[in-house]
Amino acid sequence: MPVKTSLIVARISHILPIACLVLLPTLGLGLAAGMRPDQSKSPPIDFNRDIRPILSENCFKCHGPDPGNRQGNLRLDRKEDAFAKRTAGAPVVPVSLAASRIWIRINDANPALRMPPPNSGKTLTARQKDVIRTWILQGAKWSVHWAFIAPQRPKVPTIDDGRWTKGAGHRTSSIVNRRTNTGNWCRNPIDAFILARLLQKGLTPSPEADKITLLRRLSLDLIGLPPTPQEVDAFLADRRPDSYERQVDRLLASPHYGERWGRHWLDAARYADSDGFEKDKPRPVWFYRDWVIDALNRDLPYDRFVIDQIAGDLLPNATQEQIVATGFLRNSMLNEEGGVDPEQFRMEAMFDRMDAIGKSVLGLTIQCAQCHSHKYDPLTQEEYYRIFAFLNNSYEANVAVYTPADQMKRAEIFRRIHEIEATLQHEHPDWQQRMAAWEREVSKDQAEWRVIHADGDISSGQRLEQLADGSILAQSYAPTKHTGVFTARLDSKPVTAVRLELLNDPNLPRGGPGRSIYGLCALTEFKVEAAPADHPDATQSVKVASATADVNPPEKELEPIFDDRSKKRRVTGPIEYAIDGKDETAWGLDAGPGRNNVPRKAVFVLEKPVSFPQGTILTIRLVQNHGGWNSDDNQNNNLGRFRLSVTSAQKIAADPLPAQARGALAIPADRRTPAHTSALFDYWRTTVPDWKDANAEIERLWREHPEPATQFVLSEREMPRTTSVLQRGDFLKPVKAVEPGVPAFLHPLPANAARNRLSFARWLVDPRSPTTARSIVNRIWQTYFGKGIVRTSEDLGTQSEAPSHRELLDWLAMELMKPAMDDGRSTIASKDTVTRRREDAANEHDRRVSASPRLRATNASSIVHRPSSKPTPWSLKHIHRLVVTSATYRQSSKVTPEQYAADPDNRLLARGPRFRVEGEVVRDIALAASGLLNPKVGGPSVYPPAPDFLFQPPASYGPKIWKTSTGPDRYRRGLYAFRYRSVPYPVLQNFDAPNGDFSCVRRGRSNTPLQALTTLNEPTFVECAQALALKTVREGGQTDVDRLTFAVRRCLARKPSAKESGVLLDVLDKNTKRFKVASANPWAIAAPDPKSRPELPPGITPAQLAGWTVVARVLLNLDETITKE
Amino acid sequence: MNCQDHLYRGLDGKTISRRWFLQQCGVGLGSIALNALLQRDAHASQNPNNPLSPKNPPLKARAKNVIFLFMAGAPSQLELFDNKPQLAKFDGQLPPAELIKGYRAAFINPNSKLLGPKFKFSRYGQSGAELSELLPRLAEVSDDIAIVRSVVTDAFNHAPGQILMSTGSQQFGRPSMGAWVCYGLGSESQDLPGYVVFSTGAKGPSGGNSNWGSGFLPTLYQGVQFRTSGEPVLYLSNPAGVDSGVQQDSLQAINSLNRMRLDAVGDPEISTRINSFEMAMRMQMSAPDLMDLSKEPKHILEMYGAEPGKPSFANTVLLTRRMVERGVRFVQIFHEAWDQHGNLVADLKKNCQATDRACAALIKDLKQRGMLDDTLVIWGGEFGRTPMVQGGNDGLDHHPSAFSMWMAGGGVRPGITYGETDDLGFNAVKDKVHVHDLHATMLHLLGFEHTKFTYRFAGRDFRLTDVFGRVVPELLA
């Protein structure tokens, strides 16, 4: 095990002689306007740093990539155009100001001709002109925007006598500069990059923060929770040289790491628990949230992390987890208010997906190109739609998913069923002949059905899509109660019966066939009317004599979700319930979990055949009154996809064979797959009287099948959609069809790659992708230091703000993709080759038992000891470890007025980061300090206390479910709070948490009175103050001073100063006295429920507890408590 | 979403040191002095320590404040503002085929029968404004308002339509107009938020919180929801057992400990935190007084139809006036009640009874207080309604191609009716005013050139009006 962790790049003093810094070369924009130094001696102009931003800001809008807006047919964003000869001369002629047209035009004496033109609202400053002048005179070196060139490992700067030079690569750069009289500040190459910049600017780093501050910072950063006093004590007592690195390892291995960093990804993934828009219905998608947490905890390599989310479903033998990961793209909002066109909002969701990929993976703003070619980056509108085309072929699928425990249970059930069936077959070797005989018997027993193409009435607000097979897909708004009216014009053939088929569709919950949250539906009544085609008004109702169906469940009361507040007993049951004329009874489909979401059919025989000489107008009424009361919740029980047919045959009944078996039967025996045979056998065995016991045993096993959860995922269509360029992004105005493809300014797709979503996902994480790795390391940096190396972390493109440390960004990107650094003394492999091999084996296993679900239990932290500490490619934990073990990160955040004035934004990092933590962490800190925190990881979202009125009209559009958690779920971490997009949980909203409407890779950080009111008065914070007070009097020691120290340490990790203690003890005394008077009720403040009073330790009075509650509330409201120092 | 970088951007070291010095002199009382001093600074209009401090707009402003009466759900222009005798004539007939060619409707088959107006119209005031009998009170102030009959929008579903009206885009994620205005002008109020939102209808707005969100602007510019009953602002009241004495002690201790930390670590953000707690306390003290309508004279209560203690649209409108008086920059009232797919006649009567009096009273009251000159009042929904019937003969569907709004005060030309629709009220045919134009005009009145009032995000300068919008000169006084 290697012991030494850090690579010592240089040793320099914290107090460098300022004199030597004066001699540092002034770089770039150091030139003051009006200076006219000899150009050859001027510091070199860097095109990307100094020139491109000027051109981009002032010129590209009219002379850039967008042809629609281009003026004078001039482009200045490409070298070939900027240097090309034109009638008046070339825009740029190296070394010649007199010949360079841009120089002439920006200095034109005539304001009307001067560029940029007056109506653009832009002007060039004297300083900007000077930079352009110097650049031309220096030879006008041009380069592509830095972020569009794949990163190369830069040389790590070495420090030489206070100056910095570009040294060799980091492996040989561990030069200890013995000439400077120094300590060893640099701990790894990050520090060399930072220090070089600091020295250049005449700044010096700050000393290291004290151990307590450091541990609190580290803990808040890595797991989003403050350290406990015990953890602080252990760290203080640990005198080993690598005690800090051990803390890093401990925290990186914590399951809370995935929660903390997962939340940031969830912002980018615009995760929320509801649909958004008007209905804003709850949507069960927490499996995706947990997938993110788990993937980070096991340090799933970032390339695979991205591939799984963009195209996990297309991976060979995709596991449940890989499919769940595609929930990423499905986190888009969904509009199902009455009357919307589903295609319009599918397209809105597509635009949102493009935006999310742009921001979260590419770090580029591609959404501009939705309406027109990008004005700044070289992305054309057509290229935008070519990327779009990769994503445009998916169903909006919603599938059943199972927890690892339930996956195991399912596998066991399937194993035992398979065993019983195998035994039957083994014990009856003639089964194949017997089944074949049965097949012959039933293969010809079906009547001829004619599918009718009926027009549906859409006044209920539900939209009906006519599919090619004559079926109808109900979409968009789902009324809780309605009657679907379908009218078809038929010929004169007599109609003896009507068949209703209920079909699966990937767009329906759990694949349908219904639209309820279970993918089921209930048919209250089936009614038929007929009119002669030549007398459409002479409609008469037609009596249904009898009905049969292939599923006839026993009578069952409706589930609570369908409560319609009528207080009537409403039931589902066999098919007769659909023709009994009663509004309380309906045909239901429930065959128990595991077998529910399959096609069903019912046949309704008419009392008398219907026929008119001129043809028949047949009207079918599908009464669906078994939904609940609230259409702003998921309370519909409607048909999803269905098809109507008629027949003229006599003596008709519903085919008892399941659709799957009937389908298999249609395939010639010699072409059937084992799955086909199995489908036939599954049904046929139930018809064999002798096998009653075995069949009953299998039925019993099915009843043990667990109820699934659901998850929005992607599922690829077999028939691709046509993708077109849309005029101004209007889905009704397709201009030109396009094929999937990638933009020309980025790396190409491999020539032989299939043009599908999986290839696109792989392309995104190709090491040649210039922005993918940079984008994620930049955001990691942003989280630690408050700002990214590129501050505009959503946009690394032409209009991005120049990076503060471009080479460091590249170095980190390279370390992510191709790590060269030893990552220290770690013994914890997040995802090493061993684990990978294990997963590959699991994949192999899955391939063999494709019917059974993936069984790999996801272990939050797969800890393995490994001999080598070589990090694997794309390991995010590696980057975290590098950052937090750097000297840069470990600096004190204290700041003097001079330091502050020199760098108010702390862009150069001459001090450590200090800023208020994110909203979730603000709350988590209070919960942790008070001891109330429930550290459970994962599971359905919870409902912490929130005012009821928020979830009721008129605060909310519709009445929303908010069942305030009373048990341990009340004190779960902030990231588990249920997220309604239209009514965000106010505690988090007040602290700048995004609501998931769109991808957010950079949160705001405001400081407002509403935040003060929240931490002072919000019920959870009040309960935390009460709990902290109680804990303090119970566990804090025997004296008030001890107790105060106890309470302060739980909030701040450190002990209070004498002065601070003075203030706090005063508050304690004053308020203890206040609550001691007879008229006061100390329990009112000290207990959540003044009637249920907690037991107090001997010698502690309720007034004292009340005093401590005041103190605890003060502590939880301190700036320092909610700040990472 | 963005960081608060802008707080310190563009400041020279001297200003920062000076601020520093002032903070070191003691925050709390000092912070007030600090703000006062900084306001006299060269950067006065952009006090960086408080992004909500009042700022002057770049151009001459006619309006300082905005009250937006958002009639969510989309009221029928054909029953309120846009009298169409021809529609009455063709009642029960199908619309001309060329009119509905390519028309997409939300619920109805576009080829549905025309529905004649159900209410009578008359002309009022010197301006001769034509108004429905449903709006007798508004008729009394018809010479003070400008009616626009030719508003058009792009959306015909509620949530996108409302988001477009509130943010200038159907896509979520853009700052609301109130957030833009607070970003541009800050707030005059030291103890109330700059942007306040109410919801008074039967439901909340379809677009939810995004109607008053800050989008990519700093989150402190988002609207703060107030209620007219119970706690006016979330978490405003002290918890049980905490009286004003406890609260005073607590805040003093919090601020004094925060001040010690400021001394120890020097982060100016701590002084902002201290200011936040002080303003929170001021809000706690002033809000109950603000919300207490019982102090309003009887004739004012009567004028609005407000009854203290009984939440209503009228109470809210009166509260709005009290807020604007106290320096709140932008108030938006969402009254989601106007989605008359059915029950058109009864519901319109009910809604107008609930709102007409208070809306007119607001104009009168602002006028008599001299506040109408610099307060812009805007009334309207997210779109209009079809001339075609939905259902039997008592409902209308969503319609984006023409609807009516009115504006008053704040530099709007009073007593005019602007824009025309065709004979059936189907399309705006003259002087169309798109939602973007409305926004451009509003910004113009507030002293902004809408094409130059931008915020840089994701590499692009964003505007409330996106790449559209024109100021409507005819609407300006």
Side-chain angles (χ1 to χ4, degrees), chain B residues 187-208:
Chain B
S187 172
E188 306 276 345
S189 175
Q190 286 305 301
D191 48 13
L192 290 168
Y195 177 16
V196 169
V197 176
F198 291 96
S199 178
T200 57
K203 303 166 169 186
S206 294

Side-chain angles (χ1 to χ4, degrees), chain A residues 57 121-122 277-278 333 335 337-341 344-345 348 351 359 365 368 370 376 458-461 463 728 731-732 786-787 791 794-795 799 801 893-897 900-901 904-905 914 916 947 949-950 953-957 982-984 986-987 989-990 992 994-995 997-998 1000 1002-1019 1022 1054 1059-1060 1063-1064 1067 1070-1071 1074-1075 1084-1085 1110 1113-1114 1117-1120 1122-1123 1125, chain B residues 1-5 8-9 11 13 16-17 19-20 24 104-108 156-160 170-174 193 199-210 212 215-216 219-220 222 224-225 227 231 233-243 245-247 249-254 256-258 260-261 263-270 272-273 276-277 279-281 283-284 336 339 390 398 452 456-462 466-468:
Chain A
E57 176 70 33
K122 316 262 187 198
F277 289 104
E278 175 186 289
M333 294 169 62
N335 192 5
E337 67 176 272
V340 302
D341 181 339
Q344 178 181 349
F345 291 95
E348 292 287 328
F351 294 138
K359 283 189 185 137
T365 57
C368 308
Q370 184 182 313
Y376 304 104
I458 56 159
S459 61
S460 70
R463 290 286 171 150
R728 276 214 71 84
F731 81 109
L732 294 174
K787 286 157 197 81
R791 195 199 302 250
E794 68 285 347
D795 177 29
Q799 284 285 87
E801 194 174 286
S893 59
K894 287 180 186 167
V895 59
T896 64
Y900 189 83
D905 264 5
R914 185 188 190 283
R916 198 255 295 150
F949 76 84
L950 279 182
S956 157
Y957 177 84
S982 71
V983 188
V987 172
Q989 190 195 18
N990 284 349
D992 309 314
N995 66 350
D997 283 357
F998 56 96
C1000 169
R1002 181 158 62 124
R1003 279 195 190 188
R1005 192 179 298 114
S1006 65
N1007 186 341
T1008 67
L1010 295 183
Q1011 292 171 2
L1013 291 173
T1014 306
T1015 47
L1016 283 166
N1017 302 332
E1018 191 276 330
V1022 172
R1054 68 178 176 87
K1059 218 171 139 196
E1060 290 168 331
V1063 170
L1064 289 163
V1067 171
K1070 203 170 159 192
N1071 284 283
R1074 194 193 293 274
F1075 284 102
I1085 184 171
V1110 177
R1113 183 159 168 262
V1114 167
N1117 275 280
L1118 295 180
D1119 178 78
E1120 189 182 351
I1122 58 170
T1123 296
E1125 288 210 331
Chain B
M1 308 291 150
N2 213 329
C3 307
Q4 279 184 288
D5 304 343
Y8 303 114
R9 203 179 281 162
L11 282 182
I16 290 154
S17 304
R19 176 148 37 92
W20 180 273
Q24 294 295 68
R104 295 194 302 149
F107 289 82
I108 59 169
F156 69 102
N157 298 121
H158 294 295
Q170 286 191 61
Q171 280 180 356
F172 283 66
R174 300 286 168 84
S199 178
T200 57
K203 303 166 169 186
S206 294
N209 274 40
S210 300
W212 52 91
F216 42 72
T219 38
L220 56 92
Q222 72 194 0
V224 174
Q225 272 176 287
R227 280 198 308 159
E231 234 180 4
V233 179
L234 276 185
Y235 315 133
L236 187 71
S237 319
N238 291 333
V242 176
D243 60 18
V246 174
Q247 187 73 344
D249 288 355
S250 307
L251 281 164
Q252 261 176 29
I254 291 165
S256 96
L257 290 165
N258 280 347
M260 288 178 200
R261 200 60 194 162
D263 289 344
V265 301
D267 181 356
E269 193 64 19
I270 303 175
T272 313
R273 180 92 48 219
S276 294
F277 273 81
M279 183 168 157
M281 186 120 175
M283 252 172 95
Q284 282 193 310
E336 173 99 31
D339 194 18
Q390 174 167 3
H398 308 167
K452 292 187 178 152
R456 171 66 56 93
F457 174 71
R460 188 187 141 190
D461 289 328
F462 281 88
D466 197 354
V467 297
F468 309 98

Side-chain angles (χ1 to χ4, degrees), chain B residues 112-134:
Chain B
S112 297
K113 290 168 184 166
L114 296 166
L115 183 70
K118 302 279 184 184
F119 297 96
K120 288 194 194 75
F121 281 72
S122 308
R123 294 193 177 270
Y124 297 93
Q126 293 192 336
S127 61
E130 202 171 13
L131 288 172
S132 152
E133 59 184 320
L134 288 169

Side-chain angles (χ1 to χ4, degrees), chain A residues 69 203 209 555 737 888 947 1001 1018 1064:
Chain A
N69 206 34
L203 298 171
E555 180 176 296
T888 305
V1001 294
E1018 191 276 330
L1064 289 163

Side-chain angles (χ1 to χ4, degrees), chain B residues 23-43:
Chain B
Q23 281 156 357
Q24 294 295 68
C25 288
V27 187
L29 269 181
S31 69
I32 296 161
L34 166 78
N35 282 341
L37 274 170
L38 279 174
Q39 270 160 38
R40 275 186 266 118
D41 229 310
H43 299 278

